[in-house]
Amino acid sequence: MQKIPLGIEPAAESLGLELRPGEAHYRAYVGPPDDYDLVAAMALGLLTILGLRQQHRLLDIGCGSLRIGRLLIPYLNRGGYTGLEPNEWLVHEGIQSEVGQDLIDIKQPRFVYSDSASELLAEGGKYDYLLAQSIFSHCGMDLLDQWLAQASGLLGESGALVATYISSDTDTERRGWIYPECVVFTSKTLDALARRHGLEFVPLDWHHPRQSWVVFAKPGFEADWYRDRRLSWNACFDRFNDRRQVHADV
Ligand SMILES: C[S@@+](CC[C@H](N)C(=O)[O-])C[C@H]1O[C@@H](n2cnc3c(N)ncnc32)[C@H](O)[C@@H]1O
């Protein structure tokens, strides 16, 4: 067996740590490169506590360079992950630098290179979870409204869109896609838009370094269990254990 000599360091990765958000590097383009790791951990932790399991189908809206996709693709069963992204180069660089072609071959995620879900809506497939991490912080009111309408059409009756936005006491007056600058909304506006599309707006107590997490829930999504308690792994497991007990009793 070939021995790897001690003291030989692997070649350095290009992490883009010196770059500003929005610059043309696969990590920097999607946000501050210094917390590329933390944003991924934060999102996977939240999704799993909200009930994401291996058999679910998830659509990652604006998946970028697979910052979060690189954790979701192995977690979900084969074909469970779909990433939608208008900037194709980001997905290619994410696969090349973070995921590897082998994982793509094994897990067979799907990628849709578009700034809208119209192709997916036309196919009629339904998703258990949609993720929009740092997407609504770059959408004017018109685009936010369009994304919530599309989300409503893509989700199954017990599905949920898990998203971030920048909370403020005013709403942006800008329209369309705004990048890399950010825009803000009031929770009242998001609540009203959600209702218009048959979704329930449920703010979440889950720390984000710059934004706020929220669930836009379909009527059948179980949002009640965390309305009056902190989101935690233990609380999440209490629910699973209650169900397991039911199975064990049968
Ligand atoms: C701030 S980055 C977030 C990327 C990814 N969600 C993450 O958290 O790593 C925003 C992403 O949205 C993509 N995007 C651009 N136009 C979009 C649109 N109209 N709708 C959704 N996403 C869009 C960008 O190319 C970029 O990858």
Side-chain angles (χ1 to χ4, degrees):
M1 196 170 66
Q2 194 189 356
K3 285 193 180 152
I4 299 173
L6 287 175
I8 297 205
E9 294 295 323
E13 291 174 282
S14 168
L15 302 176
L17 294 175
E18 70 290 0
L19 301 176
R20 286 193 312 274
E23 288 199 70
H25 175 285
Y26 79 93
R27 284 185 171 222
Y29 188 83
V30 298
D34 187 44
D35 60 17
Y36 196 84
D37 55 342
L38 292 181
V39 168
M42 166 180 66
L44 184 72
L46 175 60
L47 286 164
T48 50
I49 284 177
L50 291 176
L52 180 71
R53 298 297 307 273
Q54 57 189 349
Q55 69 275 14
H56 287 141
R57 296 184 72 221
L58 178 142
L59 171 66
D60 190 354
I61 297 170
C63 64
S65 55
L66 307 179
R67 170 163 58 172
I68 306 165
R70 70 201 162 129
L71 303 186
L72 288 169
I73 291 168
Y75 179 80
L76 296 169
N77 293 344
R78 181 176 289 176
Y81 177 90
T82 301
L84 181 142
E85 172 56 52
N87 283 306
E88 199 169 334
W89 69 273
L90 285 169
V91 175
H92 292 311
E93 294 210 15
I95 292 172
Q96 191 183 321
S97 303
E98 302 287 338
V99 175
Q101 192 57 44
D102 284 351
L103 188 61
I104 300 296
D105 293 343
I106 293 167
K107 286 296 188 170
Q108 297 176 21
R110 176 177 178 190
F111 296 106
V112 177
Y113 299 114
S114 174
D115 61 1
S116 125
S118 46
E119 179 187 332
L120 296 172
L121 282 163
E123 290 171 4
K126 299 289 180 192
Y127 293 85
D128 303 290
Y129 288 86
L130 306 184
L131 173 67
Q133 184 336 93
S134 194
I135 302 301
F136 298 161
S137 44
H138 303 285
C139 289
M141 187 81 79
D142 55 338
L143 194 51
L144 172 61
D145 190 45
Q146 182 186 305
W147 268 121
L148 291 180
Q150 296 198 345
S152 188
L154 290 164
L155 285 170
E157 275 316 298
S158 56
L161 161 63
V162 182
T164 66
Y165 78 107
I166 303 179
S167 175
S168 176
D169 50 11
T170 57
D171 289 314
T172 183
E173 292 181 359
R174 299 184 69 177
R175 297 174 64 79
W177 181 251
I178 299 124
Y179 204 76
E181 309 95 291
C182 293
V183 296
V184 298
F185 294 100
T186 65
S187 57
K188 201 172 155 204
T189 297
L190 263 63
D191 187 43
L193 283 177
R195 282 168 203 269
R196 189 192 299 173
H197 297 295
L199 299 166
E200 185 187 3
F201 171 81
V202 189
L204 299 176
D205 180 15
W206 191 257
H207 184 77
H208 188 297
R210 291 165 291 279
Q211 307 200 17
S212 300
W213 282 101
V214 61
V215 160
F216 294 93
K218 279 282 195 170
F221 183 76
E222 284 183 51
D224 282 339
W225 70 272
Y226 57 80
R227 266 184 229 283
D228 55 355
R229 64 195 295 190
R230 288 182 79 85
L231 283 171
S232 76
W233 185 242
N234 289 2
C236 161
F237 252 84
D238 284 348
R239 288 167 66 229
F240 291 144
N241 283 335
D242 287 349
R243 285 198 199 134
R244 285 208 179 109
Q245 191 59 43
V246 170
H247 291 311
D249 290 347
V250 170

